[in-house]
Amino acid sequence: MTDSITGGCLCGAVRYAATGAPRYAGYCCCDDCQKASGSGFIPFMGFPASAMTITGAVLRHRHRLADGREAVRNSCAVCGSLVYGGIVGVDASHTIYAGTLDDVSVFKPAVAINVRYKPDWVILPDGLPRFEGMPG
């Protein structure tokens, strides 16, 4: 992992930079992430908010999860790209979606979560720790 990573949306209106290593990184295969991404999973990386700067106008979507938590996802207000999770200035951490990285090679998944929802056509890397739901 590099000391700093950058990324953003398709059109460049939303940008972020994060310093240090992510606290976690992996694939979420839950049905909410499938619907939000239009794919079989979302590749994610989590950083403390204090390690990130995020700029640009977003459309925020809040969704109550089955376990009672709230997912907050942010898409670019211009192009609609799904970029990050959490509320800037409110939340203590943010989840960025690895497909938005400027250098996608810095994404190193360490876990797959919610694999009970994984479609059969999603192939996860061999040896990756997997959890049927959220890890404890």
Side-chain angles (χ1 to χ4, degrees):
M1 175 59 57
T2 60
D3 288 336
S4 178
I5 65 160
T6 58
C9 66
L10 181 63
C11 74
V14 175
R15 297 288 304 159
Y16 61 78
T19 56
R23 288 183 174 165
Y24 48 83
Y27 301 106
C28 182
C29 300
C30 80
D31 49 356
D32 290 318
C33 283
Q34 290 174 35
K35 294 286 187 185
S37 69
S39 181
F41 59 89
I42 286 183
F44 61 87
M45 299 168 73
F47 290 90
S50 61
M52 294 194 69
T53 57
I54 302 172
T55 59
V58 296
L59 297 174
R60 181 172 300 129
H61 179 260
R62 295 170 183 263
H63 178 74
R64 183 72 51 198
L65 302 173
D67 65 4
R69 293 177 303 123
E70 182 180 60
V72 178
R73 295 184 178 96
N74 298 276
S75 299
C76 174
V78 177
C79 69
S81 295
L82 184 63
V83 183
Y84 68 94
I87 301 174
V88 174
V90 174
D91 290 321
S93 64
H94 295 292
T95 301
I96 59 171
Y97 305 119
T100 66
L101 292 164
D102 289 337
D103 177 4
V104 295
S105 72
V106 301
F107 176 61
K108 307 293 186 215
V111 67
I113 62 174
N114 296 305
V115 297
R116 72 173 164 257
Y117 302 103
K118 182 185 78 61
D120 291 340
W121 47 266
V122 169
I123 309 298
L124 296 171
D126 289 335
L128 192 65
R130 299 166 192 220
F131 294 88
E132 289 292 309
M134 293 293 288

